[in-house]
Amino acid sequence: ASWCEPCQSEFPVFQRVAVSYGRRVAFVGLDSRDVTGAASKFLRRFPVTYPSYVDPHERIGASLQAVGGIPQTLYIDAHGHQQYDHAGPYESVAALERDIRFYLLRDEH
């Protein structure tokens, strides 16, 4: 969400990791309780390589059962099963990469 300071602080982490892991992991952004204009302006300033959707009434988030705090990162495997729900911001590339490897890529050889 463009209004969320912790979301803004973790954004560079997601920008970098999405470039590194984008061929193996699908990233999708969800701008919760945001408005299209503010979200678009934020994404123009901080572009990402993955799609991002505005969810002003949290309908998409609710359908994913993402009803925790903001920011929130859901790990959903290739079969559509949620593997992990990380509440709070990722403060480092290493922390996000560690969780991706553990929750989504642990079976890769």
Side-chain angles (χ1 to χ4, degrees):
S2 64
W3 53 267
C4 168
E5 287 186 32
C7 301
Q8 292 175 23
S9 72
E10 77 171 0
F11 215 76
V13 170
F14 276 88
Q15 284 177 308
R16 288 187 56 198
V17 174
V19 170
S20 298
Y21 285 83
R23 292 190 182 272
R24 295 167 40 204
V25 176
F27 288 76
V28 177
L30 190 60
D31 298 315
S32 297
R33 295 180 291 199
D34 215 341
V35 294
T36 302
S40 295
K41 183 178 178 183
F42 181 81
L43 288 172
R44 278 193 302 277
R45 287 181 44 220
F46 303 100
V48 289
T49 58
Y50 53 87
S52 187
Y53 300 92
V54 179
D55 191 19
H57 305 293
E58 297 183 280
R59 291 185 183 120
I60 299 169
S63 72
L64 296 170
Q65 298 178 341
V67 293
I70 295 177
Q72 182 177 11
T73 303
L74 300 179
Y75 290 80
I76 300 171
D77 67 19
H79 305 288
H81 301 112
Q82 183 176 311
Q83 296 299 313
Y84 182 56
D85 181 347
H86 176 86
Y90 275 99
E91 297 182 8
S92 71
V93 166
L96 179 56
E97 288 179 334
R98 180 188 63 239
D99 282 353
I100 287 171
R101 285 190 305 271
F102 185 79
Y103 294 106
L104 297 177
L105 303 177
R106 62 179 156 213
D107 294 330
E108 283 190 3
H109 302 290

